Amino acid sequence: MHCPFCGHEETKVTDSRLAAEGRQIRRRRECLKCGERFTTFESAELVMPHVVKSDGRREPFDATKLAAGMYRALEKRPVSSDAVEQAVERICHRLRVLGEREVPSRTVGELVMEELRHLDEVAYVRFASVYRSFQDVEAFRETVDHLRHHRRRRDPNREQLPLLPGEQAGTDKER
């Protein structure tokens, strides 16, 4: 590591700590020539795969473009930016774990739809209508029916006994 003050090549590490929730290492360094101290951050450089479009074009994966598409689907919906950023991180992680140099854009789209289904059902339908190029109302109906089917399967209160006397088992007061 070169000293940012005098350019000398030799520095020593005086302290190392985890930073950014364990995704980086913060190192405190001291120049062996001028004695100045400075901080560096180290993080793993993970290569994201290239996305192969339906027309055969290849382009580098762009997490900003992915987030923009999700924000467009979530426009005026009650979903926090933190939740969207976490969803983008999960998608990036899943793409890295695949270990492929190239992934079809369809794979990325399916991952986005899965995350949107958990974040907001309206945004899921919005994204699906553009992503799957719905041509008629029947396509919308099929998507909504699919969504309802998944909601019933994942409803954790459906088979629970009531907590308080007078409540009905398996109902959700908010619906």
Side-chain angles (χ1 to χ4, degrees), residues 22-161:
R23 292 189 306 268
Q24 289 182 331
I25 297 175
R26 176 186 178 271
R27 296 199 195 276
R28 198 70 184 127
R29 296 177 179 269
E30 182 178 341
C31 177
L32 296 177
K33 182 177 180 187
C34 69
E36 290 288 336
R37 293 177 176 230
F38 58 98
T39 302
T40 60
F41 290 90
E42 293 180 22
S43 60
E45 184 178 350
L46 302 172
V47 177
M48 293 300 292
H50 276 70
V51 178
V52 180
K53 300 291 197 168
S54 58
D55 64 1
R57 287 181 299 121
R58 287 162 170 68
E59 62 182 51
F61 176 80
D62 185 355
T64 306
K65 185 175 173 182
L66 177 84
M70 291 180 74
Y71 278 118
R72 204 170 15 251
L74 286 159
E75 190 172 334
K76 296 185 181 179
R77 298 298 303 157
V79 177
S80 71
S81 295
D82 287 343
V84 176
E85 295 305 318
Q86 289 172 359
V88 170
E89 280 297 317
R90 283 191 296 273
I91 293 169
C92 290
H93 175 74
R94 289 182 68 184
L95 289 172
R96 271 190 229 106
V97 168
L98 290 175
E100 301 292 330
R101 288 183 172 190
E102 295 181 336
V103 293
S105 60
R106 186 152 208 72
T107 301
V108 178
E110 293 298 327
L111 291 173
V112 170
M113 287 188 37
E114 184 179 330
E115 288 294 333
L116 285 174
R117 192 176 76 233
H118 296 296
L119 287 176
D120 186 84
E121 293 175 346
V122 172
Y124 169 80
V125 174
R126 283 179 183 169
F127 187 87
S129 70
V130 173
Y131 177 68
R132 293 197 173 138
S133 302
F134 290 168
Q135 299 299 319
D136 56 19
V137 176
E138 189 57 35
F140 270 106
R141 185 188 329 268
E142 289 173 9
T143 299
V144 171
D145 289 344
H146 183 266
L147 198 55
R148 285 183 181 147
H149 175 73
H150 278 285
R151 184 193 300 155
R152 266 188 252 122
R153 282 194 357 209
R154 71 175 180 178
D155 185 1
N157 298 322
R158 194 169 51 135
E159 297 179 17
Q160 284 189 339
L161 295 175

